[in-house]
Amino acid sequence: MDINNIIMAVVVVGGIGLIFGLLLAFAAHIFAVKKDERAEKIQAVLPGANCGSCGYAGCSAYAEAVARGDAPVNGCTVGKAPVAEKIAGIMGVEAGEVKEVVARVMCTGDRASVVYKYEYNGIEDCKAAVKFGGGAKGCQSGCVGLGRCAAACPFDAIHVINGVAVVDDTKCQACGKCVRECPKNLIKLIPKSQRHWVVCSNPETGKFVNQYCKNGCIGCHLCEKECHFDAIHVVDNHAVIDYDKCKNCGLCAKKCPRGVIVSKPRPGAKPKVEVQEG
Amino acid sequence: MVLQIVSIMLSALLTENFVMVKFYGICPFLGVSKKVETSIGMGMAVTFVMALASAFTWVVNKALLIPFGLDYLQTISFILIIAGLVQFVEMFMKKSMPAMYNALGIYLPLITTNCAVLGVTLLNVQNYPDNFIFALLYGIFAALGFTLAMVLMAGIREALDERAVPESFRGFPITLLTAGLMAIAFMGFSGFSIGG
């Protein structure tokens, strides 16, 4: 092998590369596009989970939309207030109030309290199980309990415990992926400040609910009568709290004969169980 | 001469259509053929790159590689040239037609690794090592054939979107079946031969 061959090869290929490189550098100068620096800065402060709960395809798409002025600065539900403040700082506007929400499963029909119609041994997935008569549980609107939500959660914040999905408050980032996955539409995003919520969404009357679930709402209207703020009503045979009116007094939860309204202790209070199911 | 030119044009366009007969460049063919408008844009970008690549690579091959006995460097140096051209097209599009740039997305830089572009340059130096005009024409018309196939496909896919396709065929399955049927249809052209 002649050394000249190697040198020529290097010179030719290197030369082509060099010429094209120079031409491209020149072209880049002519065709330079003004890029919004703010979009890059915003993307740097975003959590980078690419969960899509802001309504955009991912964190970079949201950052560009904010920089263009098409999206609100407090649109990131995962980053919440701290991120909104940083973005507001970059954009030079007020952050505004970020309403923190958290996912809640509107069912507590676990193995102990629900009658099973049959034993399901199929694919471990809620949507598959629902194809067989709406799932194994007697309740048509209850949690199927096969963990489709748990598999979808990017933050490991929702788990199936004893046949029913439960959200871990400390980990939930309210991205809403589980909300979209649940075949029974049982998961709702509710304000994090809300300390009492109804854990049943069965639309059948109490007579039927009694036949298959010990934890279900029977639509007895006791909570409605107890509430001083007109904040809880029986709609479709189950109690529904209006979170805008609710003052978190907890009277309804104390009155409920079925323990369908669960409570979370006040922040800072001693961890005693106020009302649990059963 | 004229007959030869017509023969090159028609064979590149139809009988040796890059997508339908030679099966080059299937990735953008399936990826960007959702709308007629974007498929035309992609076709134009590919045509530009292929025409310039045909010209540049032919010259580089003739003036540099062959005299110095460096034929074995054809592939790498051609890829270098194609990559440079694609970069240029990308800059140009980003500046002058940002909507098209966004619509094409990842498929625009992927022209770099599109085997249709590399294929046409390698075929050129193989088939027309001494005729620049033929090489250039073949490049342009091969790219137009690629555009033709893609625009036809996009038209069919737009119509398919409005049909009640069975669920298991929806999306890519029916697209691939359509592509297969189109390829069979293009086989009909292979019977023609012009100028012997």
Side-chain angles (χ1 to χ4, degrees), chain B residues 28-29 31-47 100 103-104 143 146-155 158:
Chain B
F29 170 68
V32 202
S33 61
K34 278 205 181 94
K35 277 185 195 153
V36 172
E37 201 184 322
T38 47
S39 72
I40 292 175
M42 184 69 180
M44 288 302 115
V46 170
T47 309
M100 186 62 91
L104 292 177
F146 174 86
T147 312
L148 173 76
M150 214 158 69
V151 173
L152 287 177
M153 187 66 179
E158 278 189 0

Side-chain angles (χ1 to χ4, degrees), chain A residues 64-157:
Chain A
E64 276 170 29
V66 173
R68 276 200 312 271
D70 293 349
V73 292
N74 55 6
C76 182
T77 56
V78 177
K80 303 198 186 72
V83 167
E85 270 167 32
K86 278 183 204 157
I87 298 175
I90 294 165
M91 294 294 290
V93 294
E94 289 285 313
E97 193 190 349
V98 181
K99 212 173 198 180
E100 280 194 40
V101 289
V102 65
R104 298 280 183 218
V105 183
M106 300 296 173
C107 179
T108 49
D110 55 14
R111 278 189 214 288
S113 49
V114 154
V115 175
Y116 278 74
K117 285 183 291 192
Y118 60 88
E119 198 173 330
Y120 178 76
N121 278 325
I123 304 163
E124 283 282 309
D125 181 83
C126 303
K127 270 196 179 155
V130 164
K131 295 233 154 71
F132 299 98
K137 281 178 183 170
C139 178
Q140 283 292 316
S141 47
C143 173
V144 184
L146 292 172
R148 201 180 163 85
C149 47
C153 182
F155 304 101
D156 192 34

Side-chain angles (χ1 to χ4, degrees), chain B:
Chain B
M1 176 75 177
V2 175
L3 204 60
Q4 231 176 334
I5 287 175
V6 174
S7 155
I8 286 172
M9 277 160 46
L10 280 184
S11 70
L13 201 59
L14 298 172
T15 55
E16 284 176 34
N17 187 291
F18 264 45
V19 178
M20 289 304 173
V21 179
K22 286 183 186 284
F23 307 124
Y24 294 163
I26 300 292
C27 165
F29 170 68
L30 293 173
V32 202
S33 61
K34 278 205 181 94
K35 277 185 195 153
V36 172
E37 201 184 322
T38 47
S39 72
I40 292 175
M42 184 69 180
M44 288 302 115
V46 170
T47 309
F48 180 79
V49 172
M50 265 163 106
L52 280 188
S54 297
F56 273 84
T57 54
W58 192 90
V59 170
V60 165
N61 185 58
K62 182 90 176 165
L64 284 173
L65 298 184
I66 291 180
F68 294 113
L70 297 172
D71 314 28
Y72 62 93
L73 286 177
Q74 273 172 354
T75 310
I76 189 165
S77 47
F78 288 4
I79 287 180
L80 193 63
I81 292 166
I82 293 165
L85 288 170
V86 170
Q87 278 294 307
F88 178 76
V89 172
E90 211 183 327
M91 279 179 211
F92 175 74
M93 280 211 159
K94 205 171 181 180
K95 173 80 176 176
S96 55
M97 26 185 153
M100 186 62 91
Y101 177 80
N102 284 333
L104 292 177
I106 185 68
Y107 292 102
L108 190 55
L110 275 183
I111 302 176
T112 313
T113 50
N114 189 337
C115 61
V117 184
L118 184 63
V120 82
T121 55
L122 289 174
L123 283 174
N124 271 340
V125 295
Q126 211 175 68
N127 297 340
Y128 315 108
D130 301 314
N131 198 325
F132 178 75
I133 302 293
F134 285 3
L136 185 60
L137 268 180
Y138 188 72
I140 292 171
F141 276 87
L144 287 178
F146 174 86
T147 312
L148 173 76
M150 214 158 69
V151 173
L152 287 177
M153 187 66 179
I156 295 175
R157 278 179 84 172
E158 278 189 0
L160 270 180
D161 282 347
E162 293 162 10
R163 297 293 183 279
V165 179
E167 198 177 344
S168 45
F169 281 107
R170 236 168 264 167
F172 262 106
I174 193 77
T175 311
L176 290 170
L177 282 177
T178 314
L181 290 174
M182 283 171 72
I184 293 173
F186 267 77
M187 277 174 74
F189 291 116
S190 61
F192 300 132
S193 74
I194 301 150

Side-chain angles (χ1 to χ4, degrees), chain A residues 28-45:
Chain A
H29 202 65
I30 297 173
F31 294 116
V33 178
K34 257 194 197 165
K35 247 194 144 180
D36 204 329
E37 288 172 9
R38 293 179 300 183
E40 281 166 30
K41 279 188 196 163
I42 292 169
Q43 198 178 346
V45 301

